[in-house]
Amino acid sequence: MESGTSSRPGRVRARRAAVLAVPATLTLAGLAVLTAQGALGVQFAISGMPFTVTATELNGTGFEQFGGLDNMAPGSPNEGDTGGQVLVVTSVIKDATLTRLCQSVDLGGVNLLITAGSGAEKVTASDLTTDSTELSGDAAFSNIEIGNDASTLTKGGVQGPKGVFSQQADTVRIADLRQTNYATTAGVFKLPGLKLRFSESGC
C-alpha cells in the first residue's frame, strides 16, 4: 500500500501537464464534441465507469473545448492506478440537436441502454457539456479559433483554466458521432421517444 501511494503524485502531475496538449491533438485528428466539471462547478464525483454515446448526427452552436481532469469519490473501487483522476477533453455546446442518440454503460455482462430521437423529433439540449476520453466522427466547424487561452473563451458561455490550450467555434456538425464519456451535464435535455432497457450489447 505504501509503495502504491508514493507513486501517485507523479502520475497526477503528469496528467495535469497532459491537459495542455489534449485538445490540440484532437483538432489535428478532426475530432471534436461535447462537460466542464471544473469550469461549470458541477458538484459531483464521477463514478469512474465510462459510458458510450453515439449519434448519427450532432449539430450545435456555441462550441468550446479544452483539457480537464475529473475526480472520483475518495476510495472509489474504480480508482485502479489512476489516483482517482481521469484526464478528459472538456467540451461545451451552447445549443445542440442530436439524431438517433444512444447511450450505454457496461455493468459487467449486461449493458444499460438508453435511446432517443429516433423518430421525427430530435434530441435537444442547452448548455450541454461532456467529459470524454475518446471522440470520433466526421466534423465540420464554422469560424473556428484554435489556440485560445481557455480562460478567454466566449462562444459557449464557459471559461476554462488559465494557461490551458483551447479552441472554439460558432457552429459544429459531427456525423457518425461516437464518444467515451465520464460525465455529462445540461441545462435542459429533451429526449423524445426515450427508451431505457438492459441489453446484451451496447451502442
Side-chain angles (χ1 to χ4, degrees):
M1 291 295 291
E2 291 179 359
S3 60
T5 302
S6 63
S7 63
R8 259 182 210 168
R11 289 198 298 271
V12 171
R13 283 193 294 270
R15 283 192 293 274
R16 290 186 185 280
V19 165
L20 300 174
V22 168
T25 302
L26 292 176
T27 299
L28 293 174
L31 309 177
V33 189
L34 319 166
T35 205
Q37 180 172 344
L40 296 180
V42 176
Q43 299 300 312
F44 65 83
I46 63 169
S47 69
M49 297 178 66
F51 54 97
T52 299
V53 174
T54 65
T56 56
E57 183 175 79
L58 176 147
N59 287 279
T61 59
F63 170 81
E64 301 174 353
Q65 187 179 70
F66 48 90
L69 286 170
D70 279 355
N71 295 280
M72 302 178 204
S76 170
N78 300 319
E79 183 177 299
D81 64 353
T82 66
Q85 290 186 318
V86 179
L87 177 65
V88 294
V89 177
T90 294
S91 307
V92 180
I93 297 181
K94 189 65 178 175
D95 293 289
T97 61
L98 300 99
T99 304
R100 299 185 66 86
L101 176 70
C102 178
Q103 176 180 301
S104 63
V105 57
D106 187 347
L107 301 177
V110 65
N111 289 271
L112 178 60
L113 187 69
I114 297 173
T115 57
S118 297
E121 193 175 356
K122 299 179 181 180
V123 171
T124 60
S126 62
D127 298 320
L128 177 64
T129 65
T130 303
D131 285 357
S132 309
T133 54
E134 294 183 24
L135 310 170
S136 64
D138 297 318
F141 304 91
S142 66
N143 296 323
I144 190 169
E145 302 171 2
I146 301 171
N148 311 62
D149 187 295
S151 68
T152 67
L153 296 175
T154 59
K155 297 190 177 183
V158 172
Q159 287 76 47
K162 185 174 291 186
V164 171
F165 183 99
S166 70
Q167 61 184 7
Q168 64 177 356
D170 286 347
T171 67
V172 58
R173 177 186 178 275
I174 302 177
D176 299 322
L177 168 68
R178 187 174 189 87
Q179 299 174 275
T180 300
N181 294 341
Y182 277 85
T184 296
T185 65
V188 176
F189 207 179
K190 295 183 179 180
L191 299 159
L194 173 67
K195 293 182 180 179
L196 184 152
R197 59 194 182 278
F198 291 104
S199 173
E200 292 182 357
S201 59
C203 299

